Amino acid sequence: MRFQLLGPLALADGPDVVVLQPSKPVILLAALLLHANSTVSADYLQRAVWGEDQPATAKAALQTCVLRLRRLFTKHGVTGTSIEAVPGGYRITAGPPTLDLLGFRDQVRRATSLAGDPEAELYTLKDALSLWQGSLLANVRSDVLHRDEVPRLSEERLRAVERVCDLLLGLGRCGEALVDLWTATRVYPGHERFHEQLIEALYRTGRQSQALAEYRRVKGFLLDELGVDPSPSLRQLELSILRGEDLGAGGAVRAAVEPAPAPASAPAPAPGATSRVIQGAAVPLPAAAPGAGPVPAVPHFTGREAEAAAMAARLTAPPSPDGDGQRPLTVLVSGAPGIGKSALAQHVAHLVRDSFPAGRLLVRMTRADGRPRTADEVAAEVGAALGPARAGERALLVLDDVVDADQVRPLLTPPDLAVVVTSRMGLGGLIATHGGWVHRLTAFTEAESYALLLAALGTERMEAEPRAARQLTALCGHFPAALRILTARLLTRPGLRLGDAVDWLGDDPLARLTLTDSPDHSVSGLFDRALDRLDPRLSEALLRIGAGPPELLGEAIRTDGEQNHPPVPEDVLEQLADAGLLEDGPPGPYRIHDLLRAHLRRTVRIRNRRTEKV
């Protein structure tokens, strides 16, 4: 059993994750885990649970809270970890394998020791950052912890992100650094080092005017909001850009070989000590894309048991006795955008990690704007990330969001490399030339949808309204991306009854299935990006199918003897199915998911209204 603090407080047992529902025992658990292996004073625990204005019975109530927490451990099968009553307070014991916060700090320390090897340090830091799963302690209702603890932990993460960007700049991978830096500078506008890194990355990728515009923007923010001038290093960077100096790796190389401070090595403030900090909250940055890095864990992974077991068996199977000694190289996971291809591939990569001692690498095969990366670019990156192959040891490569077979073929040559490919496309040509197995994913079953909500929301909330929970999964069309967005929204509104959520979601599912603080995470946005990647002829055909009657996927419709809706050509239907945007029937040879059909109809209505106004 593993405790997860770097996000909503949760218990994880292998791939199964239970996010704990807000309660006083959960606040107590968070306070103890934040200071694992140390004595936490009873006074501090009381303030964490009840705030600064504690009830007169707080001391006795704390003992009751400890008993409830112990019962919670028993309920969820937590063994090997106990809450000890010690003089002055309580203590919980944990280590890197059982607490993600300690695992993160351990990885950061390891990265510091690798300061002479920038590639190894970068890989280790990315592995550490993959442990962060969302907003810190989102389900822990304690003003004291969010005031005193969350900002400190957020700072640890920011130092690691800053160090990753320093390393990327030092290695000349400025384009990769830009992905994180655009978001970091907007989320943390007062963090000057992020702005400095962004300006340098823009300049070194040939965007001098953008770099200067970004400098003017941050200068204006600092003067208007804080009343201060940019730092000397920012002003010097602007001067270098105006002079047209060749920064090269410049200062970034120095940063890449000098270890960043290791916050984990410094003792944490004593629990209960007074401190003044700026209140803040951890905001997860999106995964760097494109780029190669460690395979991150998947929170709340549920369902796909048969597919996961089959993939794991195939990837770890011994060589065929009558073959050439090489193991099967390719497993293809295909299906619609948002169907869970990447999650399944990453989950399986964790299941088989012991079979790949040479490493497991996740490679994003498209850029942030959806354009495919070249095979040569990816091959060079993979070679640098994996390094020299260790004799007899296998590596696993997860190629995520492959656009066509030509991206993949040059990478399928090393004999000790197993490859998992995820793609919206069927990639039949790749399978025809290189063999392998195909797993075509469809929407979840009712049971899988319910299990996902159960893992995320917890037993108590689901069992209180099981009928409403099933209605919610149906409104999401059992579509994995929609279900994940829904669970995120419900976790941030723990007081919302599931029955009320049914009415709320049913009014306008497409509008509700979006994260207000992260508009890119929406079902409509997902479908829009998929349409943008289609050939215009195919996207127009899909809009016509979505806006028309269901029979457009079959025979032509005739009314009063006239053909009002000629059928879509079969070759177009085949291409749309191959792109994951049409599903196999019945009824008929093809069908379209209800959420996608609703989105297409809305898109056509909006386009028609704009045309009418013109």
Side-chain angles (χ1 to χ4, degrees):
M1 188 66 72
R2 180 179 176 85
F3 295 99
Q4 294 184 347
L5 267 178
L6 304 181
L9 182 55
L11 299 175
D13 186 6
D16 299 322
V17 179
V18 176
V19 177
L20 300 175
Q21 294 304 295
S23 66
K24 288 182 172 54
V26 168
I27 298 174
L28 173 63
L29 177 60
L32 290 169
L33 289 173
L34 285 165
H35 301 282
N37 306 316
S38 300
T39 298
V40 187
S41 71
D43 179 65
Y44 182 77
L45 292 174
Q46 289 166 201
R47 286 193 291 111
V49 175
W50 287 280
E52 302 297 345
D53 298 325
Q54 301 168 32
T57 58
K59 185 174 182 180
L62 178 63
Q63 295 173 348
T64 302
C65 208
V66 171
L67 293 175
R68 290 176 60 194
L69 182 55
R70 287 170 175 160
R71 285 198 294 268
L72 184 70
F73 280 13
T74 302
K75 174 183 175 181
H76 290 289
V78 177
T79 59
T81 301
S82 61
I83 302 168
E84 303 174 73
V86 294
Y90 294 89
R91 178 176 60 207
I92 194 170
T93 303
T98 57
L99 178 57
D100 60 357
L101 174 59
L102 298 182
F104 169 76
R105 289 171 172 168
D106 187 59
Q107 286 286 79
V108 170
R109 278 194 292 268
R110 284 188 55 221
T112 302
S113 69
L114 296 168
D117 185 347
E119 286 283 4
E121 184 183 358
L122 176 63
Y123 186 93
T124 305
L125 279 176
K126 284 189 172 184
D127 203 24
L129 287 168
S130 72
L131 295 172
W132 291 74
Q133 300 295 329
S135 296
L136 275 172
L137 306 183
N139 56 338
V140 178
R141 298 177 179 174
S142 169
D143 292 340
V144 170
L145 295 184
H146 282 276
R147 182 196 67 200
D148 295 346
E149 303 292 347
V150 167
R152 179 169 59 85
L153 294 183
S154 298
E155 184 61 29
E156 290 188 39
R157 182 180 181 279
L158 287 180
R159 290 184 186 180
V161 173
E162 182 182 310
R163 180 64 179 159
V164 163
C165 293
D166 273 338
L167 290 164
L168 289 171
L169 292 173
L171 293 166
R173 291 155 63 175
C174 301
E176 187 177 340
L178 280 172
V179 177
D180 277 349
L181 288 169
W182 278 120
T183 303
T185 52
R186 271 55 184 173
V187 175
Y188 305 101
H191 194 105
E192 286 189 68
R193 179 56 186 153
F194 282 147
H195 290 286
E196 187 177 341
Q197 291 170 320
L198 175 60
I199 293 167
E200 179 181 342
L202 287 169
Y203 179 64
R204 289 174 58 191
T205 52
R207 305 184 216 179
Q208 181 179 12
S209 60
Q210 277 186 272
L212 291 171
E214 182 64 20
Y215 175 82
R216 290 192 295 271
R217 196 189 70 79
V218 67
K219 180 180 179 181
F221 171 83
L222 292 171
L223 286 172
D224 295 342
E225 300 295 327
L226 305 178
V228 299
D229 290 318
S231 65
S233 57
L234 261 176
R235 296 199 298 270
Q236 179 59 47
L237 180 58
E238 182 209 22
L239 185 60
S240 297
I241 294 173
L242 290 171
R243 289 172 175 170
E245 295 177 2
D246 181 8
L247 296 180
V253 169
R254 292 192 294 275
V257 296
E258 294 171 2
S265 61
T274 58
S275 61
R276 295 187 60 83
V277 294
I278 300 174
Q279 186 169 351
V283 179
L285 302 182
V295 182
V298 182
H300 313 314
F301 186 88
T302 54
R304 311 293 190 201
E305 292 182 2
E307 293 91 341
M311 286 175 62
R314 286 163 179 163
L315 291 169
T316 58
S320 173
D322 55 353
D324 59 3
Q326 294 188 7
R327 303 182 186 189
L329 292 178
T330 309
V331 174
L332 170 63
V333 184
S334 63
I339 206 69
K341 303 179 293 294
S342 300
L344 175 61
Q346 293 171 30
H347 174 66
V348 171
H350 277 268
L351 292 180
V352 301
R353 57 186 176 274
D354 293 340
S355 298
F356 295 94
R360 296 165 293 120
L361 195 65
L362 174 66
V363 184
R364 315 285 183 181
M365 299 298 286
T366 54
R367 305 181 189 280
D369 59 5
R371 290 182 298 120
R373 305 175 67 203
T374 66
D376 290 343
E377 177 187 0
V378 173
E381 190 173 84
V382 169
L386 289 177
R390 291 177 282 186
E393 292 188 349
R394 302 182 72 208
L396 175 64
L397 197 59
V398 178
L399 304 179
D400 191 41
D401 200 13
V402 168
V403 174
D404 57 47
D406 289 338
Q407 276 189 304
V408 180
R409 289 191 178 101
L411 301 172
L412 302 182
T413 52
D416 292 324
L417 190 65
V419 180
V420 175
V421 173
T422 77
S423 179
R424 301 175 186 180
M425 309 302 295
L427 301 185
L430 178 69
I431 299 301
T433 57
H434 286 73
W437 289 273
V438 179
H439 294 273
R440 184 80 173 182
L441 301 186
T442 58
F444 275 161
T445 64
E446 290 184 19
E448 288 175 322
S449 297
Y450 189 88
L452 190 151
L453 260 65
L454 183 65
L457 303 181
T459 305
E460 293 180 10
R461 195 172 182 186
M462 292 285 284
E463 289 184 349
E465 300 177 84
R467 183 171 178 272
R470 297 191 185 281
Q471 288 177 300
L472 287 172
T473 64
L475 286 169
C476 290
H478 307 292
F479 195 66
L483 289 164
R484 293 215 174 259
I485 291 171
L486 173 66
T487 56
R489 296 210 66 171
L490 291 175
L491 281 170
T492 60
R493 301 181 68 180
L496 179 66
R497 291 180 59 256
L498 298 188
D500 294 334
V502 170
D503 297 333
W504 164 76
L505 180 61
D507 286 343
D508 191 347
L510 287 176
R512 301 292 199 272
L513 289 172
T514 183
L515 301 182
T516 54
D517 63 337
S518 183
D520 286 343
H521 290 82
S522 71
V523 170
S524 289
L526 180 73
F527 290 149
D528 277 334
R529 290 190 291 274
L531 284 169
D532 289 343
R533 284 171 62 167
L534 283 178
D535 179 278
R537 182 176 69 102
L538 294 179
S539 62
E540 283 301 316
L542 187 62
L543 285 168
R544 180 180 158 216
I545 290 170
E551 290 81 358
L552 268 182
L553 293 176
E555 296 297 325
I557 305 170
R558 296 179 182 274
T559 304
D560 298 331
E562 295 183 1
Q563 183 172 310
N564 294 338
H565 297 282
V568 177
E570 185 176 351
D571 68 311
V572 173
L573 296 176
E574 277 291 309
Q575 292 178 70
L576 289 172
D578 192 57
L581 295 168
L582 292 181
E583 304 171 354
D584 295 334
Y590 306 104
R591 56 188 167 86
I592 188 169
H593 193 278
D594 289 343
L595 284 177
L596 177 55
R597 183 183 291 278
H599 174 74
L600 295 171
R601 287 178 172 171
R602 173 174 290 186
T603 301
V604 170
R605 285 197 303 271
I606 293 172
R607 188 168 66 175
N608 289 343
R609 283 200 298 269
R610 289 173 179 168
T611 304
E612 289 168 3
K613 289 178 181 178
V614 173

